[in-house]
Amino acid sequence: MRVLAAMSGGVDSAVAAARAVDAGHDVVGVHLALSRMPGTLRTGSRGCCTIEDSMDAQRAANIIGIPYYVWDFSERFKLDVVDDFIAEYSAGRTPNPCMRCNEKIKFAALLEKALDLGFDAVVTGHYATILTDADGYRELHRASAWAKDQSYVLGVLTSEQLAHAMFPLGATPSKAEVRAEAAERGFSVANKPDSHDICFIPDGDTRGWLAERVGAETGDILDREGTRLGSHEGAHAFTVGQRKGLNIGFPSDDGKPRFVLEVRPKDNTVVVGPKEALDIAEIAGSRFTWAGRAPEHADEAFACEVQIRAHADPVPAVAVVRPSEDGAAELVITPGMPLNGVAPGQTAVVYVGTRVLGQTTIDRTVSAVPVG
């Protein structure tokens, strides 16, 4: 096949591109420029998509012997990922920009352009596996190495996108093996640290970054019964589960610490309460998709597992699609044990065995501890 290898400048995407060539595909490498003002150098493992990263990708492509290009996706990235991140926080939700980037950039904008140019598939260095069922439908599954499995952040992929995706690292037992292979191939990125944190906030100061773009407006901090406990200087600076920085100034009646339970942007208030109130008995979202073939009877409750963070353990659950109060269909997930510290805006990925069945952006949660 004629395939486009997305090369981030890291070790995983370099080895994935090389393996695609070894498999006999006609491969072209491309690095996505996602910022008009990228930092010239990375700081350790913070950030990505810098000028240094594009140069690392270029060197790997030269060694592999494939054509290499840099494509400017900065405007699309700003609209679909950065602006969405700001809007979600402004609405009191906790977004996952990596999910949005996979959904809107790597497997929407990039894939769309690749198909327009005559490519058959996009290759990335994600640790996940694509299998084909007995009827010829492609399914997304966990990687063989669960410690490195990245199927969670790919849960947003649709059936059409899976049909044009390739993940050559999915069956690799460990990241150490990938690094060793990179060293054997002569890649300078063999020991390059993995990137972490939000790529467009490389210093990790999300609160400060948001304050510059959203602004700060004083509001009330309330308990679950609506009693005013103090004030804050901007609701966007708080996330569900947060304990530090509340500045309430006096202990609760039981002397236990309080945690952020809810952020209400409409009236600019933050609700706090005991740690046990962070336990969630139900989550639901109307923005759900299926990764491959949808369940035949999704309106009938079915057993599954749910994962709410990239590195969280999956939890047994029951899921069903049913109408919400406003009439829209929503995916409702009831975990077998309470989930802790779940916030609207997060992504819940549903698994059946190793298969990613689908995902939803969480719109609402139901606490396992009733008020009062």
Side-chain angles (χ1 to χ4, degrees):
M1 293 194 299
R2 188 164 183 253
V3 300
L4 192 70
M7 302 184 70
S8 66
V11 62
D12 294 326
S13 60
V15 171
R19 289 186 180 183
V21 171
D22 292 348
H25 300 299
D26 178 9
V27 181
V28 173
V30 63
H31 178 81
L32 304 184
L34 301 180
S35 173
R36 292 288 175 89
M37 296 181 293
T40 55
L41 294 173
R42 287 161 51 106
T43 304
S45 57
R46 287 189 178 273
C48 67
C49 313
T50 64
I51 292 173
E52 179 189 1
D53 291 319
S54 67
M55 294 171 64
D56 285 340
Q58 170 81 77
R59 284 189 282 267
N62 291 344
I63 292 173
I64 299 169
I66 59 175
Y68 171 80
Y69 301 92
V70 176
W71 286 355
D72 183 359
F73 275 38
S74 58
E75 188 61 30
R76 184 75 179 262
F77 183 79
K78 178 182 181 299
L79 292 173
D80 290 340
V81 180
V82 180
D83 289 353
D84 175 80
F85 184 82
I86 295 171
E88 287 289 278
Y89 260 103
S90 298
R93 296 187 286 266
T94 304
N96 185 323
C98 294
M99 301 285 285
R100 205 62 62 231
C101 185
N102 282 332
E103 176 187 13
K104 299 292 187 179
I105 305 299
K106 294 176 182 175
F107 293 96
L110 177 60
L111 179 57
E112 179 183 316
K113 185 170 182 177
L115 294 177
D116 286 345
L117 292 173
F119 289 93
D120 301 304
V122 168
V123 175
T124 73
H126 286 99
Y127 288 78
T129 304
I130 295 177
L131 302 177
T132 303
D133 69 12
D135 296 321
Y137 291 93
R138 301 192 96 195
E139 297 178 346
L140 177 64
H141 286 255
R142 290 188 184 276
S144 62
W146 275 45
K148 189 57 181 173
D149 173 60
Q150 293 176 309
S151 60
Y152 171 87
V153 296
L154 298 172
V156 290
L157 300 191
T158 64
S159 179
E160 175 65 18
Q161 291 167 337
L162 285 176
H164 300 283
M166 293 175 61
F167 307 123
L169 305 188
T172 307
S174 70
K175 179 64 174 274
E177 186 172 311
V178 171
R179 291 194 180 280
E181 180 178 334
E184 291 176 4
R185 293 180 181 272
F187 295 161
S188 62
V189 294
N191 295 309
K192 185 176 181 178
D194 292 341
S195 62
H196 66 84
D197 293 329
I198 300 170
C199 66
F200 51 88
I201 313 177
D203 64 0
D205 183 15
T206 302
R207 178 181 293 192
W209 189 90
L210 283 168
E212 292 179 2
R213 290 155 179 82
V214 178
E217 182 180 350
T218 301
D220 292 333
I221 297 177
L222 311 175
D223 64 15
R224 300 181 83 196
E225 287 74 32
T227 302
R228 184 181 183 278
L229 303 178
S231 63
H232 63 77
E233 295 183 355
H236 66 270
F238 297 87
T239 57
V240 171
Q242 180 176 330
R243 175 183 174 183
K244 296 182 179 180
L246 297 179
N247 297 321
I248 297 173
F250 54 89
S252 58
D253 292 339
D254 59 10
K256 295 181 179 179
R258 282 165 290 204
F259 298 78
V260 174
L261 304 179
E262 187 180 354
V263 178
R264 299 173 179 170
K266 289 185 178 180
D267 56 9
N268 195 33
T269 57
V270 174
V271 180
V272 300
K275 184 176 183 180
E276 53 267 26
L278 288 170
D279 286 344
I280 299 299
E282 180 182 284
I283 57 179
S286 58
R287 294 174 286 174
F288 63 89
T289 58
W290 304 112
R293 184 162 55 166
E296 290 187 12
H297 303 289
D299 58 345
E300 299 177 3
F302 58 89
C304 62
E305 290 182 314
V306 62
Q307 187 171 327
I308 57 169
R309 297 180 183 87
H311 303 295
D313 291 327
V315 174
V318 172
V320 65
V321 174
R322 67 188 185 203
S324 63
E325 292 183 359
D326 62 7
E330 65 176 3
L331 180 61
V332 181
I333 304 168
T334 305
M337 61 186 73
L339 303 172
N340 187 260
V342 184
Q346 285 182 239
T347 302
V349 175
V350 175
Y351 290 81
V352 174
T354 62
R355 183 195 167 191
V356 177
L357 187 64
Q359 64 81 38
T360 188
T361 300
I362 299 169
D363 294 322
R364 64 176 181 84
T365 61
V366 178
S367 176
V369 180
V371 176

